[in-house]
Amino acid sequence: MPEIILEDPDGTFAMLRDSVAAFAQRFDGARALRARRGAGRDLDRDIWSAMAEAGWLGLMLPEDIGGAGLGMSEQAILSEALGRALITEPLAQLSVFSGTLLVGAEPSAERSRLAEGLTSGSLVVSPVWQTTDGGYAVVTATADAAGLTLSGTADLVVAAASADVFLVLARSNDERILISVPAGAEGLAVSERPTVDGATLAQVRFSECHVATEQVLARGLLGNGLLDDAIQATRLTLAAELAGAGSKALEATVDYTKERVQFGKPIASFQAIQHRLVDMWSAAEFSCAAIVNALERLTDEPGKPAALAVLAAKARAGDAAIDITRKAIHLHGAMGFTDECDIGLFMKRAVNLNATLGNPAQLRLQFVALERAA
C-alpha cells in the first residue's frame, strides 16, 4: 500500500512505524474515538499520557528543553502511522503547533515549565490564535499595573476543555505577542461545539483577564516568522496524517472487495471495481509523493520553495483522503454508511483534517498568491 518513502539508514522511521503499530494494539483507534465521542470528551488523557510515554509529544522539541530533538521527517512518518491507526488525539495542534511556538519563545522559567509539561503529557497546551475564517483572532493585551489585561475572542481552539494552559496570540500596541494563560484564569470562558469526527472545537473569550508580565513568552510573532513556522509544520503534519488515513482506507477497501461476493465472484474481480481501486491507489501515491517533495524542499530549499511545497502537499493529501474515503464507503455498500463500520470514521476524520488550517481551495489560492509574490 502507498506510504511516505524516505531513506532510513538508521532504522528510525521503521521504529516509529512499529511503535505506532504496537500502540494501536493497546488502544484501538476506532473504539477510542467512539468512546470519547460518547462521553463528550475532547481528549482521552490516558491515550495522551501513553503518547507522551512513547516520546511522541516532544518529538521535535530540542533536547535542551526535554524533547527528542528529531525533525520534520520523523514527525511526518509518525503522523502518517497515527493516521493509519486512526489515533485521533490532536497531536498536530497540541504538540507540533504549540511545540514550535515554544521552541521560538524567549528562554524563561515559564517556557521551560510548559516545554517539560508538554513533553511529559502532564500539561495540555492549546494554542489560541484563530478566527472562524482562519484569520488572526482579535485578542488585545493592555498593559496595567499588575501586568496585562486580555480582552477579545478566538475560535477553532482544540481540546479547550481539557487544556491546562492556553498559548494566546494577542495584539499589544503594534506587535503580536505570545502569552501563557492558565485555563482556570478569571475572565476566561470556553464554549464548545462538536465536529464531524467526534472531536470538539471551542470559542475562547477573554473579558478583563489579568496575567502577569512574566507570562509573555515571545514578541513580534508576525515579524520574526515564528507563527508562520508553526503553521507550516502543522500543515505538513496534517498532510501526513491525511495520507495515512487515505492509505489505510484504501487497504481496508481492497481487503473487503476481495471478500464481498456478487454474482458468484468477489467484486474485486470486476473490471469497473478494479478501475476505481486503481484511481484510489493513484491518489494515495500522489499525496505521499507530495509530502516527500515538501520534506525535501524543507531541507534543500527552505523559504519560498518549501512553503509552496507544503501548501501543495496539504492540498493534495486533503483532496486524496476525501476522494479515497468517499469511494471506500461506496464500495463497502450499505454497511459503509453505518457507524459500526470503521470506514466511515476514516472519512469523518479526513473531513476534519482537510478543513484544518485551510481546505484545498484556500491553500491553492495561497499557493498562487505566494508564487506570484516578488
Side-chain angles (χ1 to χ4, degrees):
M1 286 295 120
E3 65 178 15
I4 298 171
I5 298 176
L6 299 168
E7 292 186 10
D8 189 20
D10 60 359
T12 300
F13 301 150
M15 180 191 68
L16 285 170
R17 287 190 168 111
D18 289 345
S19 70
V20 175
F23 188 91
Q25 295 295 317
R26 296 171 53 203
F27 301 98
D28 181 86
R31 185 181 298 115
L33 189 157
R34 292 187 180 99
R36 192 184 66 215
R37 181 185 61 190
R41 299 193 303 269
D42 59 5
L43 188 74
D44 188 315
R45 294 301 288 253
D46 291 337
I47 293 179
W48 194 248
S49 295
M51 292 171 77
E53 290 175 7
W56 299 343
L57 303 188
L59 197 72
M60 293 200 297
L61 289 180
E63 294 181 23
D64 60 359
I65 57 173
L70 298 178
M72 194 66 238
S73 294
E74 288 82 3
Q75 183 64 60
I77 295 296
L78 172 64
S79 295
E80 179 197 31
L82 292 173
R84 288 182 60 86
L86 202 62
I87 304 298
T88 59
E89 307 309 312
L91 180 142
Q93 296 95 326
L94 300 184
S95 173
V96 176
F97 197 101
S98 293
T100 303
L101 293 178
L102 289 175
V103 169
E106 299 161 8
S108 66
E110 179 67 358
R111 174 188 183 243
S112 298
R113 182 182 76 89
L114 296 180
E116 180 183 354
L118 187 155
T119 302
S120 68
S122 61
L123 292 178
V124 173
V125 184
S126 183
V128 176
W129 66 282
Q130 285 183 284
T131 59
T132 52
D133 62 0
Y136 300 133
V138 181
V139 177
T140 60
T142 305
D144 57 33
L148 298 168
T149 299
L150 303 182
S151 298
T153 302
D155 295 286
L156 307 180
V157 180
V158 174
S162 296
D164 301 295
V165 178
F166 292 110
L167 291 182
V168 182
L169 175 69
R171 179 185 298 154
S172 177
N173 298 321
D174 294 328
E175 67 175 352
R176 296 278 184 173
I177 63 175
L178 185 68
I179 306 173
S180 164
V181 181
E186 186 176 352
L188 188 157
V190 172
S191 57
E192 292 184 287
R193 61 177 178 83
T195 62
V196 67
D197 68 342
T200 63
L201 290 174
Q203 181 183 82
V204 176
R205 299 183 302 278
F206 300 93
S207 178
E208 300 298 315
C209 178
H210 296 279
V211 296
T213 305
E214 291 76 17
Q215 289 170 244
V216 176
L217 298 170
R219 296 182 179 273
L221 266 67
L222 299 185
N224 63 21
L226 178 56
L227 190 59
D228 289 339
D229 290 344
I231 294 171
Q232 181 170 274
T234 307
R235 277 183 176 150
L236 193 49
T237 300
L238 293 168
E241 189 174 346
L242 281 162
S247 294
K248 181 60 178 180
L250 168 62
E251 181 180 314
T253 305
V254 169
D255 291 341
Y256 179 73
T257 56
K258 291 177 180 178
E259 298 172 358
R260 182 181 173 188
V261 175
Q262 292 289 330
F263 308 109
K265 296 181 179 180
I267 65 172
S269 66
F270 301 144
Q271 191 174 60
I273 300 298
Q274 293 172 0
H275 287 171
R276 185 159 295 190
L277 291 172
V278 168
D279 288 342
M280 295 163 67
W281 176 85
S282 298
E285 283 284 5
F286 280 125
S287 68
C288 291
I291 293 164
V292 171
N293 178 62
L295 292 169
E296 291 175 349
R297 296 287 78 73
L298 283 169
T299 300
D300 300 333
E301 300 178 85
K304 184 175 177 178
L308 289 171
V310 170
L311 289 170
K314 173 65 163 59
R316 171 77 74 173
D319 274 341
I322 294 295
D323 182 58
I324 291 167
T325 53
R326 287 179 63 186
K327 289 175 178 174
I329 289 175
H330 188 204
L331 291 174
H332 274 73
M335 65 174 287
F337 292 88
T338 65
D339 189 62
E340 290 78 11
C341 184
D342 291 350
I343 200 67
L345 300 180
F346 281 95
M347 180 178 179
K348 291 176 180 179
R349 183 62 175 166
V351 168
N352 190 350
L353 296 176
N354 186 47
T356 304
L357 292 185
N359 61 43
Q362 293 169 325
L363 297 177
R364 290 188 176 100
L365 289 173
Q366 291 183 38
F367 183 101
V368 171
L370 178 59
E371 187 178 42
R372 292 177 177 176

